[in-house]
């Protein structure tokens, strides 16, 4: 991705959604389509077969003058080949002709119509015409005037739709930047593409190409000409000169003023006209690059504020084009301050960061909510000096901006990108290219320098395979691990079963398999089930930026050591196979059981179905698991906030296990399981043990799915559901596993249990219950849970039937600051739809002060899809609204009202301070709904680890150091 970044991951492209969630994934014909794309690039007519008239009455006629005159009029352009038609029918929209696209279709399409239009325009720009490489010269394939008019109509329709204007302004700006509508678009993408093409022709041009990609400025023109005269290929002289001239043209300070004067002539609104005239004069008369950047930042925010008030669609498009021109000029101007970063005072650089963030807000890369948060952070730097820990906190807050910008782009584009990338992988360069053309390029360069400065003052240095680095690594969970470094694909084909793994993933996975450590390219959200599980088990989880990511390839499949301290210091280094073998032998020698089942507490004789309203917290681990017991407590205390529920106790599960297993009528399933666990414990060879384990688990799972249920149980369940929920098929229920081995003092089990969402119908509920009973015997659940139990045969699964609520918003609240452990604040994550915040979605994450209600934003909700429940059962994914803020002040107040009460519910295993609560909740309209509560269990081993504490020792002196903001950063 070749980006300058403070925390380099913040400008990386997020990984694709799971295949099942992404439209078009898994198409068997994708490979064939890629071949067709290559063919189109070489065809003189590209995606077209011939030129035809397309008449209003549906007639398709040869290209003769006035061919459609007798058919109600029509349009002339290229006719698609059969291959193009087939691809388009499969929702790969290539060879687009804008005149054939109705603006209303763009507004309402669920097939990413606009996004695919933009991706095609992007590929045409960066890949020498892409499928139009030769067809650009095919006369009549496009009618330029008609295409410009069509693009203008599309853009004006988007701008006049208030929902699009409020929630999709960034996407509209992308459309205005790429669709040909008579306004010069950015030449930066073409300059980069031309530089890359030169490198292909002349490999010696690579250093200059890299410079132009990462930090383009006016000096590049002279450098290109110097290279051409001293080292270049004489046959490419005209190509070098064309690139140099394009750079000069784009970098000319007068260029922006000239564009704005042209645009002002199209403005009919007096306020818009006067603003454009004034800013064009300011930008043209200023001789200082940074003064122009500062003026541009303020003008962009003013135009963004003015945009919704303009009554005329043409004026809105003028304003949008002006914003794009101003932003492009500011981008070029920012590159000129790079040499000043080493000597400019810290305060000035912090002010520069604020200015660049203001530009990002003006161009809709940042939301108003995000911009307000950054402004509030920047005010903390108004003093002459800051304590070093305050300085680091300010920079940590400012570090979020590049990630916010990247995720806002991904919100609108990532689904279409991953779909389109099946036929053209270059589509994945779309967002990186946009970030390289945004204020975040220089923002990240400044932030990298300031972060390195703060880390140097703190004595904080990461170790990356023998290399000392100041940035590019960030700890999410502390801990230590040794294991073989594997990617997701490697994990599935790993030749060493039973060996500890350190997994490298795009972001923390919702169904993460058992691992010793995690390296992620994106952090996901703080309170997903997997993050809580990793935190509980002391599994180190570290974000690694793209600047270091490539270096990891040399270590894939090899044993490494990963340490992440509570203070955030990360150490990665390789270890020998001999050392790793010693680690494995020591691991095998340790007692494996860490979860002790309290058998005396269990009441397996209580098998009667129980309404949740009759349960209380004390029933946890006795008749039912903590989900049902704590839900009963919630219902007792907050009856209006909890929907109806019915529990199937442990005793019913044990009754099923006492049935004969297989062909041996004298052996129960429980006895068979106990024998299997004993045999597994006696196997020394890890590979053999894993093979036997998987076969055992598969057999018991299938047995549960096929088991005949006692007729008396079935009748009692039908009657109880009728009484608790009402007539059959008038409601849905979430069928949830609720074991006796979760939410324990040393083990949370978050995310290991199956939930079958929104089941409608009695027979469907019975089958869902069977699936839930079978779910503790998945390989993943076994690896995380039974493998840690002293008596794994005594795992019992109650079932909670919880009436469905089609929540508009849903999420998780932990009643402490998850990052610091302070009880003065709570951490909340939330998404649109059902099941938000628990599966690793990009969620709105806030920290809210319990005494004042003040909110600090950590990340915005940028998941492109939300889950909604269907009346007939199940759910579907639909697009999110893209709203800038989900939790209102009233929502936050409702949640904070719970905190004082629920924070007293849980005690530590030593009977000390009550544990924080982990609450799953939702909002249906403005009504708070509660789904679950559990103790927030953290692993204390990392915070007490002597080795990790010794690494953190320098950080504990931060309160004694101060930073003078009037001085430049420390030399690097």
């Amino acid at each position: 991705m070749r980006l300058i970044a403070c925390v380099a991951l913040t400008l990386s492209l997020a990984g694709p959604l799971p295949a099942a969630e992404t439209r078009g994934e898994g198409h068997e014909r994708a490979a064939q389509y890629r071949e067709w794309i290559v063919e189109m690039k070489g065809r003189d007519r590209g995606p077209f077969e011939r030129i035809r008239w397309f008449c209003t009455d549906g007639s398709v006629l040869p290209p003769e003058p006035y061919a459609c005159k007798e058919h109600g009029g029509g349009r002339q352009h290229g006719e698609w080949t059969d291959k193009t038609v087939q691809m388009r029918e499969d929702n790969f929209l290539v060879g687009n002709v804008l005149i054939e696209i109705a603006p209303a279709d763009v507004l309402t399409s669920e097939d990413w119509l606009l996004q695919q239009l933009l991706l095609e325009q992007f590929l045409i720009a960066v890949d020498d015409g892409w499928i139009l490489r030769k067809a650009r010269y095919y006369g009549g394939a496009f009618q330029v005037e008609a295409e410009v008019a069509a693009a203008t109509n599309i853009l004006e329709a988007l701008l006049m739709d208030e929902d699009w204007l409020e929630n999709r302004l960034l996407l509209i700006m992308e459309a205005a930047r790429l669709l040909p509508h008579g306004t010069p678009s950015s030449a930066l993408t073409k300059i980069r593409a031309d530089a890359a093409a030169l490198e292909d022709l002349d490999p010696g041009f690579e250093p200059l190409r890299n410079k132009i990609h990462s930090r383009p400025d006016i000096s590049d023109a002279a450098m290109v000409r110097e290279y051409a005269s001293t080292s270049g290929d004489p046959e490419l002289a005209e190509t070098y000169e064309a690139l140099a001239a394009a750079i000069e043209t784009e970098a000319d300070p007068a260029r922006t003023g000239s564009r704005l004067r042209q645009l002002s002539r199209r403005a009919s609104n007096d306020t818009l006209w006067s603003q454009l005239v004034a800013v064009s004069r300011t930008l043209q008369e200023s001789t200082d690059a940074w003064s122009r950047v500062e003026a541009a930042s303020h003008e962009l925010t003013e135009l963004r504020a003015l945009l919704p008030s303009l009554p005329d669609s043409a004026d809105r498009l003028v304003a949008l084009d002006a914003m794009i021109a101003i932003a492009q000029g500011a981008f070029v101007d920012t590159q000129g301050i790079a040499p000043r970063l080493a000597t400019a005072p810290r305060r000035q650089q912090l002010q520069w960061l604020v200015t660049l963030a203001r530009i990002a807000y003006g161009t809709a890369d940042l939301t108003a909510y995000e911009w307000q948060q950054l402004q509030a952070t920047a005010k903390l730097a108004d003093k002459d000096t800051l304590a070093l820990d305050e300085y680091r906190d300010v920079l940590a807050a400012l570090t979020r901006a590049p990630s916010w910008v990247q995720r806002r782009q991904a919100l609108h584009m990532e689904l279409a990108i991953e779909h389109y990338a099946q036929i053209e992988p270059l589509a994945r360069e779309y967002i990186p290219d946009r970030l390289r053309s945004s204020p975040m390029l220089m923002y990240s360069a400044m932030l990298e320098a300031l972060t390195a400065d703060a880390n140097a003052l703190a004595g904080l240095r990461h170790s990356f395979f023998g290399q000392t680095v100041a940035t590019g690594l960030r700890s999410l969970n502390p801990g230590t691990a040794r294991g073989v470094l594997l990617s997701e694909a490697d994990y599935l084909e790993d030749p060493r079963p039973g060996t500890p793994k350190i997994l490298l993933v795009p972001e923390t996975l919702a169904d993460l398999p058992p691992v010793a450590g995690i390296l992620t390219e994106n952090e996901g959200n703080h309170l997903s089930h997997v993050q809580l599980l990793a935190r509980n088990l002391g599994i180190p989880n570290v974000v690694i930026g793209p600047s270091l990511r490539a270096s990891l390839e040399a270590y894939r499949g090899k044993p490494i050591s990963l340490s992440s301290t509570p203070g955030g210091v990360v150490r990665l280094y390789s270890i020998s196979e001999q050392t790793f073998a010693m680690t494995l032998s020591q691991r095998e020698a340790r007692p494996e059981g860490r979860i002790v089942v309290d058998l005396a507490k269990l009441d397996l004789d209580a098998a009667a179905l129980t309404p949740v309203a009759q349960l209380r917290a004390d029933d946890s681990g006795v008749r039912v698991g903590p989900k049902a017991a704590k839900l009963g407590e919630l219902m007792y205390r907050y009856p209006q906030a909890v929907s109806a529920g019915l529990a199937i106790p442990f005793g019913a599960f044990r009754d099923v296990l006492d049935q004969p297993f297989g062909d041996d009528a004298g052996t129960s399933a429980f006895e068979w399981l106990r024998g299997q666990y004993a045999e597994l414990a006696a196997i020394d060879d890890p590979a053999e043990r894993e093979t036997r384990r998987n076969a055992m688990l598969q057999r018991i799972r299938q047995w549960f799915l096929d088991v005949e249920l006692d007729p008396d149980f079935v009748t009692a369940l039908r009657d109880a559901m009728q009484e608790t929920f009402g007539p059959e098929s008038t409601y849905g229920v979430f069928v949830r596993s609720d074991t006796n081995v979760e939410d324990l003092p040393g083990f949370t089990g978050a995310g290991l249990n199956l939930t079958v969402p929104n089941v409608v119908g009695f027979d469907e509920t019975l089958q869902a219950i069977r699936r839930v009973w079978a779910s503790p015997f998945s390989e993943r659940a076994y690896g995380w849970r039974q493998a840690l139990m002293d008596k794994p045969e005594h795992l019992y699964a109650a079932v909670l039937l919880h009436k469905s609520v089609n929540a508009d918003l849903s999420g998780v609240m932990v009643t402490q600051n998850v990052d610091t452990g302070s009880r003065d604040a709570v951490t909340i994550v939330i998404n649109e739809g059902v099941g938000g915040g628990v599966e690793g979605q990009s969620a709105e994450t806030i920290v809210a002060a319990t005494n004042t209600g003040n909110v600090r934003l950590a990340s915005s909700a940028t998941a492109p899809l939300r889950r909604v429940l269907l009346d007939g059962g199940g759910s579907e994914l639909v697009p999110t609204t893209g709203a800038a803020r989900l939790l209102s002040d009233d929502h936050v107040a409702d949640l904070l009202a719970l905190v004082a009460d629920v924070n007293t519910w849980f005690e530590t295993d030593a009977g000390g301070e009550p544990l924080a609560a982990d609450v799953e909740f939702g909002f249906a309209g403005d009504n708070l709904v509660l789904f679950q509560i559990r103790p927030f269990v953290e692993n204390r081993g990392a915070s007490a680890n002597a080795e990790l504490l010794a690494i953190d020792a320098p950080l504990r002196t931060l309160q004694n150091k101060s930073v003078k903001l009037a001085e430049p950063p420390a030399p690097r």
Side-chain angles (χ1 to χ4, degrees), residues 700-707 767 770-772 774:
I700 191 66
R701 286 199 306 271
Q702 191 60 50
W703 181 81
F704 268 110
L705 294 177
D706 297 335
V707 69
Q767 194 56 32
R770 291 187 176 95
R771 290 176 59 196
V772 166

Side-chain angles (χ1 to χ4, degrees), residues 32 365 448 768 810 850 880 884 888:
Q32 180 68 67
D365 284 302
E448 180 183 25
S810 56
T850 52
T880 54
S888 68

Side-chain angles (χ1 to χ4, degrees), residues 3 186-189 191-192 211-218 220 250-251 256 289-290 292-293 296-297 300 323-337 356 359 363 432-443:
L3 298 177
S186 172
L188 290 171
T189 292
I191 287 171
R192 288 196 180 94
K211 165 65 171 64
I212 292 168
H213 265 249
S214 63
R215 192 183 292 168
D217 60 48
I218 186 64
D220 293 338
E250 186 63 21
T256 303
W290 190 255
R292 291 195 296 270
V293 172
S297 73
L300 282 168
M323 292 162 69
I324 293 170
I326 292 168
Q328 290 169 357
F331 173 81
V332 174
D333 278 330
T334 60
Q335 308 312 303
I337 67 167
L356 293 174
I359 291 175
T363 57
D433 180 83
R434 289 301 303 122
L435 296 171
R436 287 192 290 262
S437 303
S438 80
M440 290 299 107
L441 185 68
M442 183 53 63
Y443 185 103

